[in-house]
């Protein structure tokens, strides 16, 4: 069973940066389809970025050029580096893993996947 724990959220001003971390219970989870999602009050959860087991990343258009996903296998950690933050980036950010496949193929099911508890990002 994959356990994921996010951290690094906080309150920042527009234009500032944050780096979120997602630590897994085992390094191998990083070889599967992974993702960062976010959810704002009153809105549906949306995908921020998918990353395949081979490291190929697929970002939502609104964060391209500002957010970068990376991973550190030895630390069993997935990161989301966020720069030039905007108020519309505000939300709860979740790390997720689909341990049934290596390639996200542009989709990430909500069921039968592993999710962290989330970390709040507030941009004013």
């Amino acid at each position: 069973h994959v356990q994921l724990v996010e951290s690094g959220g906080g309150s920042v001003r527009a234009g500032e940066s944050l780096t979120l971390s997602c630590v897994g219970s085992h390094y191998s989870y990083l070889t599967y389809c992974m993702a960062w999602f976010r959810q704002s009050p009153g809105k549906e959860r949306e995908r921020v970025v998918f990353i395949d087991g081979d490291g190929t990343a697929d970002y939502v258009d609104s964060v391209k050029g500002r957010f970068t996903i990376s991973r550190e296998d030895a630390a069993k950690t997935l990161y989301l580096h966020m720069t030039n933050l905007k108020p519309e980036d505000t939300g709860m950010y979740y790390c997720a893993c689909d341990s049934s496949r290596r390639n996200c193929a542009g989709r990430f099911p909500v069921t039968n996947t592993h999710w962290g508890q989330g970390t709040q990002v507030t941009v004013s």
Side-chain angles (χ1 to χ4, degrees), residues 71-84:
R71 60 193 193 196
E72 184 177 354
D73 292 358
K76 300 179 291 184
T77 303
L78 186 72
Y79 299 99
L80 184 65
H81 309 278
M82 307 184 294
T83 64
N84 190 22

Side-chain angles (χ1 to χ4, degrees), residues 1-103:
H1 178 68
V2 177
Q3 291 183 316
L4 304 171
V5 179
E6 303 97 331
S7 63
S11 295
V12 297
R13 297 182 182 273
E16 294 184 342
S17 301
L18 279 175
T19 294
L20 307 183
S21 300
C22 171
V23 180
S25 53
H26 194 276
Y27 79 94
S28 64
Y29 86 102
L30 294 173
T31 66
Y32 295 107
C33 166
M34 298 287 300
W36 283 98
F37 283 79
R38 65 186 178 190
Q39 187 168 21
S40 302
K43 295 185 178 181
E44 291 187 358
R45 188 172 297 188
E46 70 165 345
R47 180 259 306 188
V48 177
V49 57
F50 296 145
I51 184 168
D52 295 337
D54 67 358
T56 302
D58 180 14
Y59 298 88
V60 67
D61 286 346
S62 60
V63 307
K64 285 181 180 178
R66 299 189 299 121
F67 290 12
T68 304
I69 191 170
S70 66
R71 60 193 193 196
E72 184 177 354
D73 292 358
K76 300 179 291 184
T77 303
L78 186 72
Y79 299 99
L80 184 65
H81 309 278
M82 307 184 294
T83 64
N84 190 22
L85 282 160
K86 303 177 180 181
E88 51 263 42
D89 295 318
T90 294
M92 186 70 79
Y93 282 69
Y94 299 91
C95 170
C97 174
D98 184 350
S99 58
S100 69
R101 55 203 179 103
R102 310 285 185 188
N103 190 332

Side-chain angles (χ1 to χ4, degrees), residues 102-114:
R102 310 285 185 188
N103 190 332
C104 297
R107 61 181 180 86
F108 198 97
V110 175
T111 57
N112 297 318
T113 52
H114 310 279

